[in-house]
Amino acid sequence: MVRIRVLVVDDHRIFAESLAAALAAEPDVDVSAAGSGPAALRCLERAGAEGRRFDVLLVDADLGAAAGGVPAQRVPGSGPPPGSDGIALVAGVRVTHPGVRTVVLAERDDPRRAAVALQAGASGWVAKDSSLSRLLTVIRGVLREETHLPPALLTGVLRELTAARKHRTDSERLVESLTPREHEVLRCMVAGLGRKDVAARLFLSPHTVRTHMQNVLGKLGVHSTLAAVALARRAGVRPAELAGDVVERSGQPA
């Protein structure tokens, strides 16, 4: 019998323990639980180091909210910041453990958040009050590369994804209007670097960097660095790496 290894990631302890116990009663399911995003990532790393792996993560959409923490601030339209909630964890797992399928567990149906979850890499969105049989169907389905959404959410999610694609296309067109040097400056902005840090990184004067930043804002049609970063992220611009990303002195005009 092929066993399915499931990790429940939820900081509502009673719910997590109840769900884990119910899943563990299934003959083909091995289940563990983690109470936070960092704890889940440690579980994944430990399993990998031991030659094992989890197949499916069941992640609370509102991970962290139960602890009474203040949600991390984010740039409007830029997606969830790292560590802010369950959907951010989904995005992180997609990068660090691409073979693991993730399913988001939600208190309520929300087309916008469900669409964001799918964009982050989730394979399913399930209400927390769904039956165990429904949840097992989703778990087994995502392992067959299926995507599972409640039927009532389909229209709203498709509308959200269509709108997001249009915004991304518009943003990509604006980013393509930048020169190579302006694009590199934008990548530094996405990485959170200030003017002086950008100048030191690109071997430019702060005055020249200010000019490039003003040109970037003008070409993107925005009035602030935050808005530029939000647009860049929608367009898929990668942040400049803060280590190991060599910038040449020559070959790119200032």
Side-chain angles (χ1 to χ4, degrees):
M1 177 186 297
V2 177
R3 301 191 67 79
I4 304 171
R5 300 200 70 230
V6 176
L7 179 61
V8 178
V9 189
D10 197 312
D11 50 12
H12 296 76
R13 185 173 60 85
I14 295 177
F15 174 83
E17 291 178 353
S18 298
L19 178 58
L23 290 171
E26 295 295 313
D28 62 339
V29 177
D30 291 328
V31 60
S32 300
S36 69
L41 293 174
R42 287 194 296 271
C43 286
L44 291 173
E45 292 295 337
R46 186 164 55 249
E50 295 172 353
R52 302 175 292 113
R53 58 170 261 175
F54 284 96
D55 300 300
V56 178
L57 261 66
L58 303 179
V59 182
D60 179 17
D62 298 313
L63 191 65
V70 178
Q73 292 183 347
R74 75 174 186 267
V75 178
S78 64
S84 66
D85 62 11
I87 296 176
L89 176 61
V90 169
V93 170
R94 181 185 189 180
V95 173
T96 58
H97 299 85
V100 179
R101 301 290 176 263
T102 55
V103 174
V104 176
L105 304 177
E107 293 281 358
R108 62 189 182 282
D109 284 343
D110 183 334
R112 181 181 178 280
R113 293 197 76 201
V116 172
L118 293 182
Q119 290 174 308
S123 297
W125 177 281
V126 182
K128 282 192 170 185
D129 59 1
S130 294
S131 66
L132 181 61
S133 62
R134 168 61 181 163
L135 183 56
L136 287 167
T137 296
V138 173
I139 289 172
R140 295 186 172 108
V142 299
L143 290 176
R144 296 192 297 268
E145 306 294 334
E146 298 172 359
T147 299
H148 284 257
L149 287 171
L153 276 183
L154 285 176
T155 299
V157 168
L158 288 174
R159 183 164 51 244
E160 292 287 342
L161 291 176
T162 300
R165 178 171 298 226
K166 179 181 184 301
H167 291 155
R168 180 180 176 90
T169 301
D170 293 342
S171 300
E172 288 173 340
R173 185 173 61 253
L174 292 171
V175 169
E176 288 172 357
S177 71
L178 303 179
T179 67
R181 178 62 83 187
E182 290 165 352
H183 191 274
E184 189 62 35
V185 169
L186 179 59
R187 288 187 63 208
C188 291
M189 294 164 65
V190 173
L193 298 181
R195 188 188 308 167
K196 291 183 179 179
D197 291 330
V198 175
R201 178 183 175 78
L202 300 182
F203 308 107
L204 302 173
S205 71
H207 175 75
T208 299
V209 170
R210 184 178 71 173
T211 299
H212 283 315
M213 286 183 167
Q214 289 174 341
N215 289 341
V216 167
L217 297 185
K219 289 183 178 181
L220 298 185
V222 296
H223 301 288
S224 70
T225 297
L226 289 178
V229 169
L231 187 151
R233 287 177 173 169
R234 286 198 300 271
V237 174
R238 295 185 302 109
E241 297 176 12
L242 301 185
D245 187 9
V246 178
V247 177
E248 300 291 343
R249 277 179 176 268
S250 60
Q252 290 190 42

